[in-house]
Structure formats: C-alpha cells, structure tokens
C-alpha cells in the first residue's frame, strides 16, 4: 500500500501541469476512480480542507489522502514526498536546460503550448467538483454563484471568500 501510494502521487506530480488546481482531476481519477481509496464525498472534503489550510493544495491533499488511506504519518509523508519530488527534479533539470537554451524558439513555443493546456486542466478540475455532493440545496448553489460573481467582478478576494464561505457553512450546516 505504501509503495502504491508513493508511486501514485509521484505519477500525479510528474504528469500535472498548471499547479494544484490542475492536479485535482488527476488526483480524483487516481484516488477515487482507479484505486477507490476514497469516495467522492471524502475527496471533496479533503479538497475543501486543503484549500483552507496554508500551503499548496496538492501538497495538502497528498498529506491528507496519505493519512486517510494508511492511517499513519508514514503514508502522509510518502504521498507528500511523492507529489513534490517530480517538481523538484523537473525544476533542477529545467534550470540546467534553460540556462543553455533559453533563447531557442522551440523552448518558447513549448511554453506557449503549455499555457492553454494548464487552463484546460484547471477548468476540468472545476467541472469535476460540480457534483450533487457539493450542491446539496439552494443555499449551496447561491453561495457558489455569489462567490463566482464576487471573484469575477473583483469585488472580493479568494482568501476572503474562503473564510466567509466557511463561516456561512458553519451557520447553515453546523460545525
């Protein structure tokens, strides 16, 4: 189980581009669909906790999922190390490569192609979280729509909305 957990999160870290939110689709595919380590409800709860906990969402999610699946700090550490190790390796290799080829058209065009791919992965993650488990009543839909509008109009920041939504969730659904 520990090796499988490490390898799964290493693969997630290796094949995810665009940051933590872009990783969510791959994490859900591996953890919920393929391995069935978590239900979609448990996954959604872990993502919510990962968003309000300081640090990168992918690291937080890996840490929580590692604990949830193994009930040990070793599982948490292996999942966290697994998701972070590819980024470290890629950054070191990219630094060495870019130091030598940073003016190449091939390199510039490759980075241009990665931008829409990352945006697509983030959009895919958002769609995966739009399930009936997350929209349980009219209040949850109103909270989503209100937050979306406030963010789009730049009337509120993401951090403010996370805290306010958490307080509203406690008031509506209890601690």
């Amino acid at each position: 189980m520990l090796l499988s957990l490490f390898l799964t999160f290493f693969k997630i870290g290796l094949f995810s581009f665009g940051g933590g939110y872009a990783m969510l689709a791959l994490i859900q595919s591996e953890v919920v669909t393929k391995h069935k380590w978590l239900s979609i409800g448990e996954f959604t709860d872990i993502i919510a906790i990962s968003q309000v906990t300081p640090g990168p969402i992918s690291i937080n999610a890996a840490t929580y999922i590692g604990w949830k699946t193994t009930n040990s700090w070793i599982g948490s550490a292996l999942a966290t190390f697994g998701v972070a190790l590819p980024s470290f390796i890629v950054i070191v290799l990219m630094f060495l490569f870019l130091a030598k080829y940073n003016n190449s058209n091939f390199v510039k065009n490759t980075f241009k192609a990665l931008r829409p791919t990352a945006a697509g992965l983030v959009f895919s993650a958002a769609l995966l979280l739009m399930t009936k488990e997350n929209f349980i009543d009219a209040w949850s839909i109103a909270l989503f729509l209100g937050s979306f509008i406030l963010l789009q109009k730049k009337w509120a920041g993401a951090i403010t909305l996370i805290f306010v939504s958490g307080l509203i969730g406690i008031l509506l659904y209890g601690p």
Side-chain angles (χ1 to χ4, degrees), residues 139-163:
W139 288 110
S140 62
I141 294 169
L143 189 58
F144 167 77
L145 291 174
S147 296
F148 182 79
I149 291 168
L150 289 170
L151 277 172
Q152 290 305 306
K153 298 286 186 179
K154 298 185 176 157
W155 293 338
I159 294 171
T160 302
L161 286 173
I162 289 170
F163 284 112

Side-chain angles (χ1 to χ4, degrees), residues 98-139:
L98 288 175
K100 188 172 182 178
Y101 300 106
N102 67 344
N103 293 323
S104 161
N105 282 336
F106 176 77
V107 171
K108 290 177 184 176
N109 291 335
T110 301
F111 280 109
K112 284 181 185 175
L114 286 176
R115 285 186 204 129
T117 303
L121 288 170
V122 171
F123 182 68
S124 172
L127 290 178
L128 286 173
L129 291 174
M130 291 191 177
T131 64
K132 63 183 176 183
E133 288 88 3
N134 291 328
F135 295 97
I136 55 176
D137 57 18
W139 288 110

